Amino acid sequence: MNEQIHFPTEAAAQAALKENGFSLGTSQRDDPRGIMHGDFCIMKWRNLDAKDKEDLHGAYVRKFRDGPVTITLKPNCPPHAATALRRAAAEAVAA
């Protein structure tokens, strides 16, 4: 089952991804951006085929220009990475 993690701002979400070893896909207007734990080059959402999207560890969706951001993690995301993002989100909300 997919899990959603919420960040109050885009800056907090991007910092958490970077600090915890995630790669973030290329921005494409209002479409989601893929995320993978590790060092990857992820294309724009429209350039990913069904298999590419299936292999992603999750998706990053920004509501407005500076946030909030929802990250949807898939079951194939490494557990230690998911735990680190949950912790970072909780700290960002508390700040």
Side-chain angles (χ1 to χ4, degrees):
M1 186 165 145
N2 293 341
E3 173 186 2
Q4 291 190 336
I5 299 174
H6 303 281
F7 286 87
T9 66
E10 184 166 33
Q14 289 185 7
L17 288 170
K18 184 176 181 176
E19 290 168 9
N20 291 291
F22 282 87
S23 295
L24 178 60
T26 305
S27 178
Q28 179 188 321
R29 223 172 161 166
D30 294 330
D31 283 344
R33 297 167 74 177
I35 63 168
M36 291 282 292
H37 188 256
D39 187 18
F40 295 93
C41 180
I42 305 169
M43 296 184 291
K44 291 181 179 184
W45 194 257
R46 71 170 178 236
N47 294 331
L48 298 172
D49 63 25
K51 175 69 170 124
D52 293 331
K53 290 176 183 177
E54 180 182 318
D55 291 342
L56 293 171
H57 291 147
Y60 172 106
V61 177
R62 175 181 75 180
K63 185 158 181 148
F64 299 109
R65 185 167 186 83
D66 293 323
V69 171
T70 299
I71 294 176
T72 303
L73 294 180
K74 295 168 45 179
N76 65 337
C77 182
H80 68 282
T83 299
L85 275 185
R86 280 187 219 103
R87 187 177 316 115
E91 289 171 2
V93 169

